[in-house]
Amino acid sequence: MLEVCNISFSYKNTEFLEDISFSAQKGQFVGILGPNGSGKSTLIKLLSGYLKYFSGDIKINGLSIQDFSSKERATKIGVLSQESINNINFTSEEVVSLGRYAHQNGFWKYLTEDDYLIIKNSLHATNSYKFKDRYLGELSGGEKQRIFLSQILAQSSDVILLDEPSNHLDLKVQASVLKKIKEYAKLNSKTVVSVFHDVNIASIFCDKIIYLNNGRLIDNGEGNEKISIEKLLKVYEIEFIETIVNGRNLYFPSSFFK
Ligand code: ADP
Ligand code: MG
């Protein structure tokens, strides 16, 4: 279980993220929504331990992430950031195998048969097994994104942090990859926290959604309603319209239709 308790952070002197609290259970897929610059990526960086919060605490299964060694942290937290290293001279399979690094023991680190099986399954989960021998630099943006997602799955961490995971993915791949990640989290009791730009994708895939605006938490996702026109207005400061497709409520900015 992931608990975020009253964390605050700032890049310069003025407080930016202020008093953020929310929690995410094992197996839960939690979305973060908010406009550009609202602090979504900053929050992901705090959750991953990349940035240090000033006050409050972030706990995984009751333990503060600040007390983990870097190796422990890698077994607990996997992160797909917005800025991935792009053209390292590794094959896709090698990139995914880096996800197993924190699980290797002993002085001579080597991959076991189990590791190879996990790497293979992780490549299959994002439908990227066919790219395994290709160098990362030879792949398209969407193909690379799938390799990085496979690496996160191979890492088998308790918490998986994704910053706009469906970026670069075409619509077919988007749906299948998000479904796979959701299934994987449920089946293996992993917690996923993911930033989304598309409110409808977030509403379809997330069990709960937290909302940020200008560094403040507008909604911690604990209410009955996951998404509504009123929440979207407060967060994005624009009018949305609601429509029902296949029994599901979908939301679009009303300016799209003017
Ligand atoms: P989001 O992901 O919601 O678009 P970010 O968390 O990336 O927003 O950024 C939140 C705010 O913090 C923005 O105003 C951004 O300009 C600022 N910011 C982000 N990174 C830095 C940094 N390294 N130093 C100073 N300000 C930053
Ligand atoms: Mg961002």
Side-chain angles (χ1 to χ4, degrees):
M1 183 190 180
L2 173 72
E3 291 165 286
V4 177
C5 317
N6 310 100
I7 55 160
S8 297
F9 173 80
S10 81
Y11 282 109
K12 292 184 193 91
N13 294 329
T14 52
E15 204 158 45
F16 178 63
L17 279 178
E18 210 180 308
D19 204 22
I20 306 282
S21 298
F22 69 94
S23 65
Q25 307 294 325
K26 287 183 179 170
Q28 215 172 25
F29 196 123
V30 177
I32 305 176
L33 283 179
N36 286 339
S38 58
K40 305 180 297 298
S41 295
T42 305
L43 181 55
I44 291 285
K45 286 174 187 162
L46 288 162
L47 294 171
S48 71
Y50 177 79
L51 292 175
K52 297 236 174 307
Y53 37 92
F54 295 170
S55 57
D57 209 356
I58 299 174
K59 292 179 185 168
I60 297 176
N61 301 329
L63 302 172
S64 169
I65 63 164
Q66 304 219 343
D67 295 337
F68 295 144
S69 68
S70 55
K71 187 172 169 179
E72 267 174 331
R73 192 178 294 157
T75 63
K76 310 257 188 239
I77 310 166
V79 58
L80 177 82
S81 68
Q82 258 183 318
E83 313 99 8
S84 302
I85 313 156
N86 258 329
N87 293 324
I88 42 176
N89 203 17
F90 283 154
T91 67
S92 301
E93 190 175 32
E94 285 164 348
V95 171
V96 177
S97 70
L98 294 176
R100 297 305 301 160
Y101 181 77
H103 297 276
Q104 291 160 25
N105 291 311
F107 183 72
W108 301 106
K109 303 211 187 299
Y110 58 91
L111 295 167
T112 63
E113 263 179 46
D114 276 354
D115 288 324
Y116 279 112
L117 186 65
I118 291 169
I119 292 162
K120 187 174 161 192
N121 289 341
S122 305
L123 280 160
H124 278 300
T126 63
N127 203 12
S128 324
Y129 190 71
K130 52 184 173 275
F131 307 131
K132 78 179 176 65
D133 297 320
R134 301 256 304 270
Y135 282 91
L136 205 65
E138 298 169 355
L139 299 180
S140 76
E143 290 163 353
K144 268 184 216 159
Q145 184 81 335
R146 281 148 70 186
I147 299 303
F148 286 123
L149 280 165
S150 302
Q151 187 192 59
I152 305 278
L153 294 179
Q155 199 179 328
S156 312
S157 53
D158 297 334
V159 174
I160 297 172
L161 306 171
L162 307 171
D163 200 346
E164 300 185 29
S166 38
N167 254 3
H168 312 293
L169 302 183
D170 68 43
L171 296 175
K172 177 177 159 195
V173 174
Q174 220 173 69
S176 81
V177 166
L178 290 173
K179 265 187 205 155
K180 286 265 171 55
I181 295 173
K182 192 171 166 128
E183 265 169 36
Y184 169 85
K186 280 249 148 35
L187 211 65
N188 298 286
S189 300
K190 308 292 190 190
T191 302
V192 182
V193 180
S194 179
V195 173
F196 286 103
H197 253 307
D198 187 310
V199 298
N200 294 312
I201 290 183
S203 140
I204 291 166
F205 286 99
C206 298
D207 301 309
K208 89 179 189 187
I209 301 176
I210 66 163
Y211 293 85
L212 286 176
N213 175 307
N214 196 24
R216 310 283 164 94
L217 196 68
I218 299 292
D219 192 299
N220 69 359
E222 291 305 325
N224 292 330
E225 214 173 29
K226 201 159 53 172
I227 191 164
S228 68
I229 287 183
E230 292 75 22
K231 270 185 203 179
L232 294 171
L233 174 65
K234 234 187 200 167
V235 172
Y236 291 98
E237 299 172 28
I238 52 167
E239 299 279 347
F240 276 75
I241 57 161
E242 186 173 9
T243 175
I244 299 178
V245 177
N246 284 347
R248 198 185 276 284
N249 294 43
L250 299 178
Y251 300 83
F252 298 95
S254 37
S255 57
F256 278 17
F257 304 95
K258 283 178 188 151

